[in-house]
Amino acid sequence: PSRLVRGRPPASSGMRISVGIIGAGISGLVAARILAKAGADVVVYEKSRGLGGRLARRRLGGADFDLGAPAYATTNPDLARLGSPWGGQGTYVAVPTMNALAHALGEGLEVRTSVRVERVRRRDGVWDLGGGRVHDAVLVSVPAPQAAPLLSEAPDLARAAGSVEMVPVWVVLLSYSRRLEFVGPVSAPLGWCGRESDKPGRVEEPERWAVHATPDWSLLHVDAPPEFVTRFLQGAFEERLEDPEVSFLAAGAHRWLYARARRPLGRPFLWDPRLLIGACGDWCLGDSVESAYRSGSDLAHRMIESAGGFDPNPMETLGP
């Protein structure tokens, strides 16, 4: 597997706790930053080629789109300063794409991409993640249905994660040769429509829109071919335009299989202080970027408390 090291891992200073974090989404990255700044030796494992989870970007028709979360609302000053104001008060986007938020949090951390952790086992007092990857503590930062089997050696945690049902969302990306006026309303099958080219730091041309289906429509069509989803949602979007005579350029569809928790866990994280294993993610508190940020931050501080603190290791780069 490929290995990406963003900056240098913390230098050793006496005995340190080793932490393996599975998943390089917002919750995993913010937890990694806090733990590394506290003095832990942290390695983040990500099955994809890049960082950010649902903050992914996609290039289509010569321009970038935010493929997942289109923006984030927050009252947290640390999270707010990582983005630019957009839309209503307290709403932000990262520049030049939402994925930049993940890269800011990942700066200076050791992140190994294209590494899939398929099992987590407790052996001889440490956690074995397979492939020679061994850590004192493990944090699982993936969607609840994927977290449950990785938590199997902490049955209470596995049951809690397994109780969270997550629903899909289809996203269709559209580009046009001229500016369009969307007159709405946004109603099923459309859940959200946003002009990508209006966001701060984006190029204005071509005209670009991201169209999200409702979770109910997405669940009903979860196994539909992307071509069908694209045609259907594009048609629903264009029916709501002021001028339906459009000059269409390109389209693409993506299915987020675990997009939202139908009913969140109701607590910010899962943690077993005896085994030193836990889980975090937006599914613990909701389905927002801020929910993910809070979940990872709260779990990291709880881990530090359980371990009795680590050797100080202040990081010079941007941190929460």
Side-chain angles (χ1 to χ4, degrees), residues 18-34:
S18 170
V19 182
I21 297 180
I22 303 169
I26 291 299
S27 62
L29 290 172
V30 70
R33 290 202 68 79
I34 292 170

Side-chain angles (χ1 to χ4, degrees), residues 8 25 34 89 105 126 139 193 198 233 240 247 261 307 310:
R8 297 167 59 187
I34 292 170
Q89 185 175 4
L105 290 172
V126 296
L139 186 159
C193 302
D198 265 3
L233 295 181
R240 291 160 171 80
S247 182
F310 308 146

Side-chain angles (χ1 to χ4, degrees), residues 121-285:
R121 295 288 182 267
R122 186 75 171 167
R123 302 183 190 279
D124 300 324
V126 296
W127 289 104
D128 180 359
L129 277 59
R133 299 179 290 268
V134 178
H135 297 278
D136 301 311
V138 172
L139 186 159
V140 179
S141 174
V142 298
Q146 297 173 331
L150 295 175
L151 297 167
S152 61
E153 297 214 12
D156 290 345
L157 273 57
R159 280 192 293 271
S163 71
V164 178
E165 179 187 1
M166 301 195 73
V167 295
V169 167
W170 274 105
V171 177
V172 168
L173 310 176
L174 302 167
S175 66
Y176 300 88
S177 63
R178 63 179 177 84
R179 186 175 177 87
L180 308 176
E181 293 303 326
F182 182 82
V183 295
V186 177
S187 58
L190 306 180
W192 185 86
C193 302
R195 181 185 278 117
E196 290 287 302
S197 37
D198 265 3
K199 292 180 179 178
R202 274 65 167 176
V203 296
E204 296 182 1
E205 296 180 351
E207 174 83 345
R208 303 182 309 286
W209 286 78
V211 175
H212 295 216
T214 64
D216 287 343
W217 189 92
S218 299
L219 186 60
L220 185 63
H221 300 88
V222 65
D223 293 321
E227 297 78 12
F228 164 80
V229 173
T230 299
R231 289 195 304 269
F232 194 94
L233 295 181
Q234 180 181 354
F237 169 75
E238 292 179 357
E239 285 177 359
R240 291 160 171 80
L241 297 177
E242 185 177 78
D243 180 4
E245 297 299 321
V246 299
S247 182
F248 167 70
L249 295 177
H254 181 83
R255 182 190 67 177
W256 293 105
L257 185 58
Y258 302 122
R260 296 180 180 178
R262 189 179 292 276
R263 182 177 299 171
L265 183 65
R267 44 182 162 147
F269 57 81
L270 296 171
W271 177 241
D272 186 320
R274 180 179 63 87
L275 296 176
L276 297 182
I277 187 171
C280 59
D282 58 4
W283 52 270
C284 292
L285 295 169

Side-chain angles (χ1 to χ4, degrees), residues 3 5-12 36 40-43 108-110 313 315:
R3 183 172 183 266
V5 179
R6 303 189 59 79
R8 297 167 59 187
S12 178
D41 286 328
V42 181
V43 180
L109 298 173
E110 183 175 356
N313 181 55
M315 297 174 70

